[in-house]
Amino acid sequence: MSAAAGYEEISILKEIAELLNEGTDIRNILSGVLKKLLHVTGLQTGWIFLMDENGMHQLAADAALPPALAQDGKRRMCQGKCWCVNKYNNGQLNKATNIMECKRIEDAIEEKAGETCGLTHHATVPLRAGQERFGILNVGSPYKTHFEKDELALLEAVAYQIGTALKRIKLTQREQETALVAERNRLARDLHDSVNQLLFSLSLTARAGVEMAQTDEVKQTFGYIQDLAQEALGEMRALIWQLRPHGLENGIVSALRSYAEMLGLSIQTKVAGAANIPGKVEEALWRIGQEALANCKKHSQTTAVQLFFQMSSDKVLLVIKDAGCGFHYDESLEIPSLGLKSMKTRAEALNGTFHLKSKTESGTEIKIEIPL
């Protein structure tokens, strides 16, 4: 390699490193890096697949895809298997691979799905940091059927930079989540040690006022204060539970059962299946379940609640229903309350679904389904 070529490669790596260090939004970073890489290398198209623990790929970034791959919302890129994905999942893709025929392109040609612009092959590079793997970088150009060693070495260096940045971002996100949990716990402790104790003292003082009052009118006033203090104390305990769920370490069903009992509800639970639930999914189900049970307590005019929880290898299902007063709900109209909207938002944020069924005098059912 000449000195000029070496200087150019260092310059390319420097520019890409600056992009990778600028932000924490994975998709924006990968899109920017891919466009920069294509510009400085003269290559014309590329895409990045991120891979999960189950070997499923997700199109995280792409640039200048030919029409055959870009049509129908890039459906051909988002679905199905291909040779580079299979090699990655089989552990056979450990370094930059010099030109791999593209099955997605071949399928598009066979199905006459659109113009491929002369793209037939691509180079494939795994994204990794140490022993941790994150996905695949694919790049190519029309009619290009060979990559030189220097080109592959550059792609491998860029891929390693991307892998290192992905690891940094994930560690940062994990630290932020840990800090959020710590802040919740601190707030819960503060509420328990200050506001909770003040409300308890107010309740005791009101009770003493009832006993010491000389007239019925004063007794009723102190009694009303005592009832308000007890109600506020219950709300505060529920809030502390939401901030710091003591039972979640024993599983989502155990936590929701304990929460329901704390609210004064009689809950029947049924569990089917077994699988590991990702932390984000468990957190979302916990918050959704809390909101649903709180609604039962406040609005259903009954204390009997049923909870059904089903797990499988690819999804989790949570159903909470009561036989209370219910309300008229038309699925074609907007969801009527902020609490119900928040449940729907939490479920859809994890690509899940939210279903609400309710009729006057026929109870209410909340059904949440989230893919794993």
Side-chain angles (χ1 to χ4, degrees):
M1 181 185 294
S2 67
Y7 177 79
E8 183 182 5
E9 180 174 325
I10 292 173
S11 177
I12 292 171
L13 293 175
K14 179 177 179 295
E15 288 184 34
I16 290 176
E18 289 173 351
L19 276 175
L20 290 170
N21 287 326
E22 282 178 357
T24 57
D25 185 281
I26 290 178
R27 286 185 175 273
N28 287 340
I29 288 176
L30 293 181
S31 179
V33 168
L34 182 58
K35 291 175 181 177
K36 173 65 71 174
L37 176 63
L38 296 180
H39 175 72
V40 298
T41 60
L43 298 171
Q44 292 190 25
T45 187
W47 59 92
I48 294 176
F49 289 145
L50 292 182
M51 309 290 292
D52 64 19
E53 296 176 353
N54 298 318
M56 301 300 294
H57 78 276
Q58 181 182 44
L59 182 64
D62 63 87
L65 291 176
L69 298 182
Q71 67 179 2
D72 297 333
K74 305 171 188 175
R75 174 187 57 82
R76 195 176 298 276
M77 302 298 292
C78 299
Q79 300 176 1
K81 297 289 186 178
C82 61
W83 293 312
C84 59
V85 169
N86 290 339
K87 282 181 175 291
Y88 178 92
N89 288 332
N90 294 333
Q92 298 174 336
L93 189 61
N94 298 313
K95 62 180 182 178
T97 300
N98 189 13
I99 298 305
M100 186 179 293
E101 291 179 328
C102 182
K103 183 177 184 299
R104 298 177 196 276
I105 285 287
E106 289 193 359
D107 289 345
I109 293 174
E110 183 178 342
E111 297 168 15
K112 298 180 180 179
E115 180 60 49
T116 60
C117 301
L119 181 68
T120 57
H121 297 67
H122 60 73
T124 296
V125 196
L127 305 177
R128 54 191 296 177
Q131 298 301 314
E132 195 168 355
R133 304 190 309 161
F134 301 99
I136 305 169
L137 166 66
N138 288 337
V139 291
S141 279
Y143 310 108
K144 184 175 178 66
T145 59
H146 182 74
F147 275 69
E148 301 295 338
K149 288 184 178 181
D150 290 349
E151 292 178 299
L152 291 175
L154 175 59
L155 292 176
E156 205 158 50
V158 171
Y160 184 77
Q161 283 187 318
I162 295 173
T164 302
L166 290 174
K167 185 170 184 177
R168 173 185 62 80
I169 291 170
K170 289 192 173 185
L171 287 173
T172 300
Q173 291 173 343
R174 200 173 302 160
E175 289 175 359
Q176 291 174 342
E177 291 171 0
T178 301
L180 179 59
V181 171
E183 180 60 18
R184 284 178 178 169
N185 289 340
R186 184 198 65 78
L187 182 57
R189 284 194 303 270
D190 289 348
L191 289 172
H192 182 273
D193 294 340
S194 57
V195 180
N196 201 49
Q197 290 182 8
L198 287 172
L199 289 172
F200 184 69
S201 298
L202 177 61
S203 178
L204 290 179
T205 303
R207 182 193 301 176
V210 171
E211 296 175 355
M212 296 173 61
Q214 300 297 319
T215 66
D216 290 341
E217 186 177 293
V218 176
K219 285 180 181 293
Q220 289 176 1
T221 301
F222 275 116
Y224 179 65
I225 293 173
Q226 184 181 6
D227 291 343
L228 286 179
Q230 287 291 340
E231 185 177 347
L233 193 59
E235 292 283 346
M236 183 59 62
R237 286 172 178 165
L239 177 59
I240 291 171
W241 252 90
Q242 292 176 29
L243 290 170
R244 188 175 56 187
H246 293 287
L248 199 54
E249 66 273 7
N250 297 321
I252 182 69
V253 175
S254 175
L256 289 174
R257 185 190 299 116
S258 297
Y259 184 70
E261 292 171 352
M262 189 274 299
L263 291 175
L265 298 173
S266 175
I267 185 168
Q268 292 182 343
T269 60
K270 182 178 179 181
V271 179
N276 291 325
I277 305 177
K280 289 184 178 180
V281 174
E282 189 174 48
E283 170 77 8
L285 291 174
W286 165 245
R287 300 300 174 191
I288 291 169
Q290 282 181 319
E291 185 66 36
L293 291 172
N295 285 346
C296 292
K297 172 67 175 178
K298 293 178 181 178
H299 307 300
S300 70
Q301 298 179 15
T302 183
T303 59
V305 180
Q306 293 181 328
L307 183 151
F308 176 66
F309 188 74
Q310 184 180 46
M311 293 176 289
S312 63
S313 60
D314 61 346
K315 66 180 180 181
V316 58
L317 173 68
L318 173 66
V319 179
I320 296 177
K321 61 181 180 179
D322 63 66
C325 61
F327 60 94
H328 176 69
Y329 172 63
D330 185 345
E331 292 186 7
S332 64
L333 300 178
E334 187 177 357
I335 292 177
S337 78
L338 186 61
L340 293 171
K341 287 179 182 177
S342 72
M343 287 190 249
K344 185 175 187 292
T345 300
R346 288 183 187 276
E348 292 179 346
L350 295 170
N351 298 317
T353 57
F354 168 90
H355 294 288
L356 167 66
K357 291 197 300 184
S358 187
K359 290 183 179 180
T360 305
E361 305 302 330
S362 297
T364 301
E365 178 181 291
I366 300 293
K367 180 180 178 182
I368 304 295
E369 192 170 324
I370 297 177
L372 297 178

